[in-house]
Amino acid sequence: MREAELLRVSLRIHGLTKETGRENKEAAPQQRYKDSPAMASGTALIYDDEMTSYKLLWDDPECDIEVPERLLSSYEQLKHYHLVERCIHVPVREGTEEEIMLVHSSEYLEVVKSTQTMNEEELRRVSENYDAVYFHPNTYRCAKLAVGATLQLVDSVMSGKVRNGMALVRPPGHHSQRNAANGFCVFNNVAIAAQYAKRRYGLQRILIVDWDVHHGQGVQYVFEEDPSVLYYSWHRYEHQQFWPLLRESDYDAVGQGKGKGFNLNVPWNKVGMGNSDYLAAFFHVLLPVAFEFVPELILVSSGYDSGIGDPEGQMNATPECFAHLTHFLMQLANGRLCAVLEGGYHLKSLSESVCMTVKTLLRDPLPQIAGEMAPCLSAIESIQNVRGAHKPYWKCLMYEEATPLHDLSTKSQQIMKAELIQTSTHPTAEQAVGTTKSDEAIKADRFLESHMKKILFPVPPVKTAAAIVSKADAHLLPVSVQVEMEMNAQELKTFVSAFDVELVKEEKALLSLQNVLAVLDKILKKKACNGIAESSVASVSITFALKHCFDFGLQRVLCIVVGDMDLELDLDDGKMLLMNICQKQQTEKTNSKYYISLNWKEDTEIKLVQSVAKALSGVSTPDFGAYTPASQENVLEIKRLRDQLQQEWKMLRCSVRNWVSGS
Ligand code: X5A
Ligand code: ZN
């Protein structure tokens, strides 16, 4: 009866015990599913078209991609998907001088201020003092609005007015520095926001995730020695051959002084990185460290030049990748996440990715990521090197190999490429590059046009379907529907008797089974996103549920079983992946591609099931509280499993040992 217990536990989430004495009050349940203190809900969207009021006034091939249409088309697309009306509109304001000076010097502020009244000639001259920057008479006003918009977002989230949100701003911020504009950036919106949040709300740990394709060196400089701000950035690097061409963008820049370990750089040494490379970097670098860091707030330097079709990044991540990145981050900091626009220069790619981010913040179900899931060799090398460099600072990386890989697979190629550029004197070669780029852009346009139609699906009307056996437990469930089975009792008996004649006689077991199948049915017919069912005969129910799935035509089902359970299942056809997290060593079954058993040496069942139920209902973000490192035993068990399985499950790869032949 242990299994029955387990499934019942999933209903008793949040420690909802009878002692509250509210079982009979109809209105109470929703309230009780909020974390205490009451968890915020809603997504803020901050946008003002005034930030489109500046542009490049002269010819500059480096800067001409940073256009007002970036904001206009993103906002248009948000309207198109009816996302604007689902968000809470928060007005922009100007950032004050005091706020700007949380990061910038007053001298620099005065320089930027002085550009307001300049003529084109003067503007050009100021711009030339900086790398990849242009000024316009409206730049100063917009830069103040960009700062203010970001701070409005932080205030909305920190005050609990909303749970999360996005600010669509121009100019971007992450390259700008104490005394310098840089890379289209004037004031460092996100860095200012972090300083502001520390001051105003007394925050002790802020995570900045920079998924823009460029290194936010400006953010790195501000927080290099600051252990209260963890900065994570991946960026096109190509062995320092890519802008901003800095040595300190490499994986070994881990922070300085007290800030050692709080700067995470993942340098991409190749273009063409895609969904699986980004996800691998999240799985193996950012997420383990972030869970150990336990941030109180997440700021995302949300640049989409890391997306497909972007002329700057030349990477391959599709818009739904950003949905997944967002979703993973939403599990941290109690869901307090502020996304702030940085780069993104392919208008279609940018606007679709912005929509995916906002849709996810609104908690819509995520589109699946298509394509083979396997990080490329160069990505794995970068990941291995960052993990090694950070081994001294994070318990989750404690058992890493610390020797960096020097013979990176991309290195010789890179040197050849650099030499080629240096020796090339043919202007035609340059031109050819230019033509290819715009061809690429058009190709990406076409691809995205059809791709988005494929991946976007109508959201089921019900979030979490729930079926329970005992009336007494009804109030323990989140906002739910009591589902009705479309298969009647007689049909069910026939269905069951084909497998187990004895079972048909057990009224209670049949009822459980009926509940499980009812929930499953709702999901298969796309009427519910997910569901919870209680069953007194869990293994029987799972067996029938799986059978039902395959009858329905599903090709791949992941089945996670927590606890020691006896399931007689045929795993040979690869339609099912069974993960069993249990204490007992399953002696006769050995791990194979489709059967993975994880033997934890501690009792995690309750915690796990609670987290799953919480995550499903989506009304709150599981909170792990203070970080407790996994035991060495458990970590080694995972390591052993990973080594064994990474040949076949390629997303497990985070080092080139063990699977590259000859190494
Ligand atoms: C915010 C951003 C890029 C500057 C590139 C200059 N800046 N080559 O994406
Ligand atoms: Zn960028």
Side-chain angles (χ1 to χ4, degrees):
M1 281 301 97
R2 177 188 200 103
E3 14 186 298
E5 260 322 297
L6 270 175
L7 284 176
R8 290 176 65 88
V9 165
S10 73
L11 307 174
R12 302 236 166 99
I13 58 179
H14 287 229
L16 293 171
T17 50
K18 310 277 183 200
E19 108 270 276
T20 51
R22 289 212 296 213
E23 293 92 286
N24 302 321
K25 289 186 194 158
E26 298 288 8
Q30 263 166 278
Q31 205 87 58
R32 281 196 266 162
Y33 269 81
K34 295 188 170 176
D35 274 341
S36 51
M39 196 184 189
S41 66
T43 295
L45 180 64
I46 310 193
Y47 169 79
D48 194 303
D49 58 18
E50 199 180 339
M51 285 181 281
T52 64
S53 68
Y54 77 97
K55 61 174 191 195
L56 175 64
L57 296 172
W58 52 85
D59 256 0
D60 180 349
E62 193 175 13
C63 292
D64 64 11
I65 52 175
E66 204 294 295
V67 294
E69 288 75 22
R70 296 177 54 239
L71 282 197
L72 291 168
S73 64
S74 300
Y75 196 66
E76 273 309 305
Q77 201 62 6
L78 285 168
K79 282 196 275 190
H80 173 80
Y81 287 129
H82 301 286
L83 293 168
V84 171
E85 61 214 56
R86 294 174 56 199
C87 291
I88 295 161
H89 171 81
V90 174
V92 302
R93 65 168 172 92
E94 280 192 356
T96 66
E97 296 196 356
E98 195 192 345
E99 287 161 352
I100 291 164
M101 280 160 46
L102 286 169
V103 164
H104 301 280
S105 68
S106 58
E107 294 80 5
Y108 174 64
L109 174 60
E110 290 311 313
V111 172
V112 180
K113 200 186 285 178
S114 72
T115 62
Q116 284 178 103
T117 52
M118 285 181 177
N119 62 34
E120 194 177 315
E121 188 48 41
E122 294 167 317
L123 288 166
R124 257 185 201 248
R125 241 180 300 120
V126 189
S127 304
E128 273 162 19
N129 293 333
Y130 305 107
D131 186 8
V133 171
Y134 68 89
F135 280 97
H136 176 281
N138 291 339
T139 297
Y140 177 55
R141 162 79 177 160
C142 292
K144 281 192 293 184
L145 290 179
V147 170
T150 308
L151 300 185
Q152 287 283 80
L153 178 55
V154 168
D155 282 334
S156 304
V157 167
M158 289 313 300
S159 67
K161 183 178 181 206
V162 297
R163 189 190 321 230
N164 56 35
M166 174 149 207
L168 292 179
V169 302
R170 267 180 87 235
H174 71 155
H175 297 303
S176 66
Q177 296 147 43
R178 184 169 168 77
N179 286 304
N182 183 281
F184 319 151
C185 300
V186 178
F187 297 136
N188 203 316
N189 309 315
V190 163
I192 293 169
Q195 296 291 41
Y196 175 85
K198 274 171 54 174
R199 285 254 181 120
R200 172 137 192 212
Y201 300 100
L203 297 191
Q204 296 180 325
R205 287 177 313 278
I206 297 172
L207 168 64
I208 299 178
V209 177
D210 188 337
W211 66 47
D212 186 282
V213 85
H214 301 95
H215 182 215
Q217 85 278 35
V219 182
Q220 174 170 315
Y221 298 154
V222 174
F223 299 110
E224 227 154 15
E225 296 186 43
D226 186 346
S228 66
V229 177
L230 173 60
Y231 178 61
Y232 171 92
S233 173
W234 62 39
H235 32 269
R236 181 170 168 190
Y237 185 62
E238 296 179 295
H239 306 279
Q240 213 185 315
Q241 300 295 310
F242 188 70
W243 190 91
L245 311 159
L246 301 169
R247 173 66 186 87
E248 62 268 32
S249 304
D250 213 348
Y251 65 87
D252 55 354
V254 296
Q256 298 190 354
K258 279 196 212 140
K260 272 201 161 124
F262 297 92
N263 193 82
L264 285 158
N265 283 335
V266 181
W268 298 130
N269 287 314
K270 249 184 58 184
V271 295
M273 296 295 174
N275 298 345
S276 38
D277 306 297
Y278 288 0
L279 287 179
F282 258 50
F283 294 162
H284 301 300
V285 181
L286 176 60
L287 294 176
V289 171
F291 274 104
E292 183 168 341
F293 181 62
V294 197
E296 299 159 310
L297 172 67
I298 302 178
L299 303 172
V300 182
S301 265
S302 201
Y304 297 93
D305 38 19
S306 46
I308 189 164
D310 193 279
E312 274 288 309
Q314 302 195 27
M315 300 298 181
N316 270 328
T318 50
E320 67 276 20
C321 187
F322 295 99
H324 287 264
L325 303 182
T326 305
H327 185 246
F328 286 120
L329 296 180
M330 285 166 71
Q331 315 308 314
L332 291 148
N334 265 302
R336 284 192 215 118
L337 187 157
C338 302
V340 182
L341 186 68
E342 299 278 2
Y345 308 100
H346 183 284
L347 296 183
K348 175 96 179 140
S349 181
L350 164 67
S351 51
E352 295 292 356
S353 298
V354 165
C355 289
M356 278 295 154
T357 307
V358 171
K359 217 167 137 50
T360 306
L361 291 176
L362 285 162
R363 301 187 152 250
D364 277 0
L366 314 201
Q368 252 181 343
I369 291 196
E372 206 213 350
M373 278 310 199
C376 70
L377 176 59
S378 175
I380 296 166
E381 290 171 338
S382 297
I383 288 168
Q384 179 179 346
N385 278 347
V386 202
R387 282 170 61 100
H390 278 273
K391 171 189 159 99
Y393 313 108
W394 299 99
K395 296 197 181 84
C396 60
L397 301 173
M398 177 146 90
Y399 306 102
E400 276 309 287
E401 198 82 61
T403 350
L405 286 166
H406 291 292
D407 292 319
L408 297 176
S409 58
T410 44
K411 205 139 192 189
S412 56
Q413 267 165 269
Q414 193 55 49
I415 290 158
M416 272 161 60
K417 193 174 154 191
E419 277 168 2
L420 209 70
I421 290 165
Q422 272 170 16
T423 54
S424 146
T425 46
H426 308 289
T428 42
E430 281 291 302
Q431 234 172 3
V433 172
T435 330
T436 330
K437 272 188 190 166
S438 84
D439 279 355
E440 288 303 310
I442 293 162
K443 241 169 71 185
D445 268 329
R446 288 208 197 106
F447 167 79
L448 286 167
E449 188 65 45
S450 74
H451 180 72
M452 296 317 289
K453 283 189 192 127
K454 266 184 248 164
I455 63 162
L456 290 170
F457 50 86
V459 175
V462 172
K463 178 90 201 216
T464 302
I468 44 173
V469 176
S470 44
K471 275 252 164 61
D473 285 335
H475 67 284
L476 298 174
L477 289 163
V479 190
S480 62
V481 282
Q482 198 66 35
V483 290
E484 263 165 56
M485 181 60 174
E486 286 171 38
M487 194 187 280
N488 67 34
Q490 195 45 53
E491 284 169 334
L492 182 73
K493 278 187 186 170
T494 323
F495 179 69
V496 173
S497 62
F499 303 88
D500 193 333
V501 191
E502 282 307 295
L503 195 68
V504 183
K505 295 177 201 145
E506 274 199 62
E507 240 6 270
K508 181 131 196 281
L510 266 184
L511 189 61
S512 299
L513 194 53
Q514 193 164 4
N515 276 329
V516 174
L517 292 177
V519 168
L520 185 57
D521 225 50
K522 281 273 180 288
I523 297 168
L524 292 174
K525 294 188 173 141
K526 301 199 161 81
K527 291 179 191 156
C529 300
N530 56 47
I532 300 171
E534 180 195 35
S535 172
S536 56
V537 284
S539 36
V540 175
S541 296
I542 286 175
T543 311
F544 281 102
L546 286 165
K547 158 106 180 74
H548 193 62
C549 288
F550 298 130
D551 285 352
F552 191 85
L554 296 196
Q555 290 300 308
R556 285 180 306 282
V557 178
L558 168 64
C559 180
I560 302 175
V561 176
V562 183
D564 300 316
M565 248 193 193
D566 250 340
L567 277 178
E568 289 306 320
L569 293 163
D570 179 20
L571 299 166
D572 292 339
D573 58 2
K575 279 193 173 180
M576 182 169 82
L577 169 59
L578 178 63
M579 307 238 317
N580 191 188
I581 303 169
C582 56
Q583 293 178 73
K584 203 168 66 190
Q585 189 80 39
Q586 303 275 45
T587 38
E588 51 322 341
K589 298 186 198 116
T590 50
N591 286 313
S592 71
K593 182 167 184 187
Y594 297 105
Y595 177 79
I596 300 168
S597 127
L598 189 53
N599 305 114
W600 291 101
K601 295 294 184 282
E602 60 190 85
D603 190 38
T604 56
E605 291 173 9
I606 307 284
K607 266 201 236 162
L608 262 164
V609 177
Q610 284 178 331
S611 302
V612 169
K614 267 175 135 184
L616 279 185
S617 62
V619 280
S620 82
T621 316
D623 188 2
F624 287 100
Y627 176 77
T628 36
S631 67
Q632 174 163 12
E633 236 185 332
N634 283 350
V635 174
L636 294 178
E637 165 82 4
I638 294 260
K639 223 176 135 98
R640 188 189 58 75
L641 256 183
R642 195 170 59 205
D643 284 348
Q644 185 197 328
L645 293 166
Q646 64 181 342
Q647 200 66 246
E648 306 228 56
W649 296 108
K650 304 184 176 92
M651 285 304 289
L652 294 174
R653 295 173 182 177
C654 60
S655 94
V656 297
R657 291 181 308 271
N658 304 320
W659 64 274
V660 171
S661 51
S663 76

